[in-house]
Amino acid sequence: MMTPKTLFEKIWERHVVVEPPQSPAVLYIDLHLIHEVTSPQAFSALREKGLRVRRPERTFATVDHGVPTIPSPDGRPEGRLAFADEMSRRQIRQLEENCREFGIQLMGLDSPYQGIVHVVGPELGLTQPGLTIVCGDSHTSTHGAFGALAFGIGTSEVEHVLATQCLLQRRPKTCLVNMEGYPGKGVTAKDMILALIAQIGTGGGTGHVLEYAGPAVRALSMEERMTLCNMSIEAGARAGMVAPDDVTFEYLAGRPFAPQGAAWEKALADWRTLPSDEEAVYDKVVTLDVSRLEPMITYGTNPGMGMPITGRIPDPDAITDPAQRAALEKALAYMGLRPGEPLLGHPVDVVFIGSCTNGRLTDLRQAASLIKGRKVAPNVRVLVVPGSQQVKRAAEAEGLDRIFKEAGAEWREPGCSMCIAMNGDALAPGQYAVSTSNRNFEGRQGRGGRTFLASPLTAAATAINGVITDPRTLL
Amino acid sequence: MEAFKCLTSRVVVLPVDNIDTDQIIPARFLKTTDKHGLGASLFADWRYLADGQPDPAFVLNRPESQGAQILLTGDNFGCGSSREHAAWALLGWGFRAVISTSFADIFRNNALKNGLLPVIVSPEVHQDLMRLFLQDPAQTLTIDLETQTLRWLDREVQFPIDPFSKDCLLRGVDELGYLLSLEPEIAAFESRYLTR
């Protein structure tokens, strides 16, 4: 009898090129995604060493981190660049040049598919079950939603993949995340992952690949599964995965890069063998009862500092570990919050709806469902940034853009925008934001800016009231 | 990549857990296409006041920190973004080693590929080191990679590192040369895998 294997083990084993004793495994990479910010030094190194890109057809590029999201003043796609600073413009031009020189397909500013790299890969059907997928971006874990092994890498590793289509990897451990029960009304995939990170901490997944399982995960759409896997890195995990099933296959069918015809049938038969075997053993198991969850919100300066939205901010004096106490004190000082205080009713200056975590059609629909027929509070700036050109077109076809604009929100062009605040979309010092993005680190959304992470529903409810609001009160 | 063999240096102490790469180097400094010159942006938002002047209270700006090559810091160092700029900025400032109780996976990989040594110690040793070097910034610490030991005063402790990374660091070679040398194996794998 064959040893039962996990989803991770099945994918890992079919990609090991060699694994000499005393050395890390050489892992073959099926799909490599690149963007303008973490790739230029890798291409410079290739040039210096006289190397070529070994498999240019396995690398795809887009521009997202530094692109302005202000609509082009003259209607030309390139017109957005007028709002970029000189360095960002140069970085975008450099990527265009690198792709031309090395023969890599680029979904650039003028492409109908431009967008955030982790939104673009799945919607083009590039992301498929069983693949190894890497990108110079930590949120590459998103693609694990399809039952792929996907993880973020540094720029040296981008160079390695370009030159050899391989990476040196130490085999990670496995962790099963069992999500039991079903979430109640107003509780989304974002709340599930924020609750998990609050439970296991920002280092709780270090060295591990998380596999999300259980009825609550099976019931999620692909876009919701992507939200879940996206934030695996915020628990320190190497990757996050969901076993592929009919939801996965339905999403993929007919996408431009998905297999077609006989190749589709063959792929399907293979993908059905990928889910973890029943008796498979994990190095660790974590359980979360999602039926008890409320919408979640963060109060601190890392994604692990989260609580139910009706909760009160924890008291550092109640924490015995000195390092944890100091961390909470530092976070509350930065956030300008007091122990014991509720967050409900706390005023905000900005609401940001977008990012690779929550910038897909489902997210925009959820936000629009609350905003429809209402106005955003006059004291709040609301930025809605679709994750890609395809998301933007689909949203506009449904009239979501009009709902947002009529309510007083800004409807923007696709990009990472205020999630990383490199492109001019940023908080001013001291401003508070409810953000559907993934990181509430100090200064992440602009120097001195203060971020509350939450779901698109919570963000929309807060936009309407101008203060942090439990979305269940508006549903 | 510069080889790492044995280093004796003063120690900069930054006693904060979960320092993310956005603190190590904020995103606005990632617009460069170069890996050099990032030392000036290391810990920028903690190091400089709003008017751009160095904050004299921040540890990197104190006279005794100048020239130090070892950073002693809190648990889960380097979490968050995969930006290799974090390793480049630490090296650019002059650090060659970071000591903590744990490191985030991607940061650790990036550090090793650039000749920046991540040293993992037990919480007890970490506490002893913190106490000593906070009290006496003039004291030095020796990191000997060959024997995998830390030495200070009359103490000596071992630290773990995988043999492959250790060999690369000692010889000052990056991993790409090794991967390129495996071209026949990669080609053989592809002919099996891509035609399955």
Side-chain angles (χ1 to χ4, degrees):
Chain A
M1 202 184 124
M2 299 270 283
T3 319
K5 287 175 185 162
T6 63
L7 166 65
F8 161 77
E9 287 165 328
K10 292 178 191 185
I11 301 175
W12 174 271
E13 283 167 14
R14 55 164 82 168
H15 288 88
V16 173
V17 174
V18 281
E19 193 170 8
Q22 298 281 298
S23 299
V26 177
L27 200 68
Y28 193 75
I29 302 303
D30 293 310
L31 175 64
H32 183 206
L33 303 169
I34 60 172
H35 60 83
E36 76 276 24
V37 172
T38 59
S39 66
Q41 294 87 347
F43 284 105
S44 306
L46 290 186
R47 279 194 198 93
E48 278 164 29
K49 296 170 188 169
L51 295 168
R52 65 190 178 94
V53 174
R54 195 171 193 286
R55 289 266 173 192
E57 75 281 7
R58 288 183 174 266
T59 295
F60 292 83
T62 190
V63 287
D64 54 10
H65 282 61
V67 295
T69 59
I70 302 169
S72 168
D74 58 6
R76 289 179 315 118
E78 297 257 318
R80 287 205 254 166
L81 274 191
F83 303 105
D85 62 39
E86 183 50 37
M87 287 189 84
S88 287
R89 199 154 39 226
R90 202 179 306 150
Q91 224 173 25
I92 291 164
R93 293 299 184 211
Q94 186 66 53
L95 182 70
E96 292 169 350
E97 197 183 312
N98 292 339
C99 288
R100 255 196 316 273
E101 183 180 335
F102 290 94
I104 291 165
Q105 189 170 335
L106 168 68
M107 272 74 74
L109 279 175
D110 58 353
S111 163
Y113 303 115
Q114 178 268 334
I116 306 174
V117 63
H118 310 308
V119 177
V120 170
E123 70 186 8
L124 286 179
L126 287 166
T127 302
Q128 295 168 19
L131 300 186
T132 48
I133 303 175
V134 297
C135 173
D137 189 281
S138 60
H139 293 109
T140 307
S141 58
T142 310
H143 307 263
F146 290 78
L149 174 60
F151 51 91
I153 57 176
T155 300
S156 294
E157 291 175 312
V158 171
E159 180 194 343
H160 297 178
V161 177
L162 290 172
T164 69
Q165 205 57 39
C166 290
L167 276 180
L168 290 170
Q169 286 290 304
R170 286 159 199 88
R171 190 188 180 114
K173 294 191 170 106
T174 54
C175 173
L176 177 69
V177 179
N178 233 329
M179 295 206 167
E180 290 179 345
Y182 292 93
K185 202 168 125 184
V187 178
T188 65
K190 181 64 165 288
D191 304 299
M192 289 159 64
I193 189 66
L194 283 174
L196 178 76
I197 303 165
Q199 180 178 319
I200 69 174
T202 51
T206 302
H208 289 75
V209 168
L210 310 181
E211 183 182 335
Y212 302 99
V217 176
R218 287 287 131 228
L220 296 177
S221 70
M222 281 318 297
E223 297 197 344
E224 293 167 316
R225 292 179 190 184
M226 285 189 246
T227 301
L228 201 60
C229 289
N230 172 277
M231 290 190 71
S232 304
I233 180 68
E234 309 313 333
R238 202 73 186 94
M241 307 175 100
V242 174
D245 59 12
D246 287 339
V247 176
T248 322
F249 310 144
E250 267 164 44
Y251 176 97
L252 275 171
R255 302 220 170 232
F257 286 91
Q260 316 283 335
W264 170 260
E265 294 305 325
K266 194 178 163 208
L268 210 55
D270 178 49
W271 294 343
R272 290 194 194 282
T273 68
L274 288 172
S276 296
D277 300 326
E278 214 154 294
E279 305 294 313
V281 179
Y282 296 80
D283 295 299
K284 203 160 103 177
V285 178
V286 175
T287 300
L288 181 73
D289 179 0
V290 300
S291 66
R292 303 156 72 101
L293 294 185
E294 287 187 23
M296 294 287 295
I297 191 156
T298 63
Y299 53 82
T301 52
N302 72 49
M305 294 179 173
M307 65 178 193
I309 195 160
T310 58
R312 288 174 182 273
I313 292 166
D315 187 348
D317 288 341
I319 299 177
T320 44
D321 179 77
Q324 279 183 24
R325 185 167 58 235
L328 181 57
E329 278 168 355
K330 187 174 188 297
L332 295 187
Y334 180 85
M335 293 296 290
L337 299 171
R338 285 184 308 276
E341 195 176 35
L343 278 182
L344 284 177
H346 192 288
V348 302
D349 305 287
V350 174
V351 169
F352 172 65
I353 299 172
S355 84
C356 61
T357 311
N358 281 130
R360 297 183 182 79
L361 191 58
T362 306
D363 304 308
L364 302 185
R365 279 181 184 154
Q366 285 183 353
S369 72
L370 285 189
I371 286 179
K372 189 175 185 177
R374 295 182 167 117
K375 294 278 179 211
V376 306
N379 57 321
V380 181
R381 179 184 180 205
V382 181
L383 221 62
V384 186
V385 185
S388 71
Q389 296 290 353
Q390 285 208 72
V391 171
K392 180 167 181 263
R393 281 194 302 276
E396 288 175 351
E398 294 181 11
L400 303 186
D401 59 322
R402 280 201 317 277
I403 294 174
F404 289 121
K405 284 190 278 195
E406 281 165 14
E410 298 174 44
W411 178 248
R412 293 295 194 96
E413 290 292 317
C416 299
S417 183
M418 204 183 270
C419 173
I420 191 164
M422 286 183 73
N423 73 333
D425 300 336
L427 297 179
Q431 277 191 324
Y432 285 102
V434 164
S435 176
T436 67
S437 57
N438 40 58
R439 289 188 172 136
N440 51 352
F441 297 149
E442 286 182 28
R444 170 76 180 190
Q445 297 196 283
R447 189 174 184 178
R450 301 186 276 201
T451 302
F452 301 111
L453 298 176
S455 73
L457 283 177
T458 301
T462 301
I464 294 160
N465 287 346
V467 297
I468 292 175
T469 300
D470 185 338
R472 295 172 298 182
T473 60
L474 296 180
L475 283 172
Chain B
M1 169 173 121
E2 203 184 320
F4 191 112
K5 291 189 167 81
C6 188
L7 170 72
T8 299
S9 161
R10 278 174 286 116
V11 177
V12 173
V13 184
L14 193 53
V16 180
D17 284 353
N18 299 310
I19 293 180
D20 57 81
T21 53
D22 275 87
Q23 307 318 312
I24 300 173
I25 181 164
R28 62 183 182 278
F29 300 109
L30 310 187
K31 296 178 184 180
T32 172
T33 54
D34 197 352
K35 53 174 93 167
H36 301 288
L38 294 171
S41 313
L42 178 67
F43 294 117
D45 287 351
W46 290 351
R47 187 167 152 199
Y48 304 107
L49 300 166
D51 64 359
Q53 291 304 305
D55 178 355
F58 186 64
V59 64
L60 280 194
N61 296 325
R62 289 188 210 137
E64 63 269 23
S65 296
Q66 309 315 306
Q69 292 177 284
I70 301 171
L71 178 67
L72 173 63
T73 187
D75 192 53
N76 195 27
F77 184 77
C79 59
S81 151
S82 64
R83 61 190 70 165
E84 196 159 324
H85 309 68
W88 298 333
L90 287 158
L91 284 162
W93 192 83
F95 287 120
R96 291 300 314 278
V98 185
I99 305 175
S100 177
T101 42
S102 75
F103 293 91
D105 290 328
I106 307 178
F107 173 80
R108 191 175 150 276
N109 275 339
N110 288 340
L112 288 167
K113 286 180 175 60
N114 288 278
L116 177 71
L117 177 65
V119 178
I120 296 177
V121 294
S122 70
E124 296 72 33
V125 168
H126 191 258
Q127 231 171 38
D128 290 349
L129 291 172
M130 283 274 185
R131 207 173 298 131
L132 172 69
F133 290 104
L134 275 173
Q135 241 165 46
D136 186 2
Q139 191 56 243
T140 62
L141 174 80
T142 296
I143 304 177
D144 186 342
L145 179 59
E146 182 70 61
T147 59
Q148 297 178 222
T149 47
L150 296 184
R151 289 192 293 272
W152 72 101
L153 302 176
D154 59 346
R155 298 272 306 269
E156 186 172 306
V157 297
Q158 301 280 126
F159 63 88
I161 184 166
D162 72 276
F164 182 83
S165 301
K166 177 178 170 177
D167 182 60
C168 287
L169 284 167
L170 284 171
R171 295 192 293 132
V173 295
D174 74 13
E175 296 171 356
L176 183 57
Y178 172 70
L179 273 174
L180 288 167
S181 76
L182 295 172
E183 171 57 31
E185 284 85 352
I186 298 170
F189 175 88
E190 274 184 334
S191 65
R192 285 197 309 275
Y193 176 74
L194 299 180
T195 55
R196 95 207 118 106

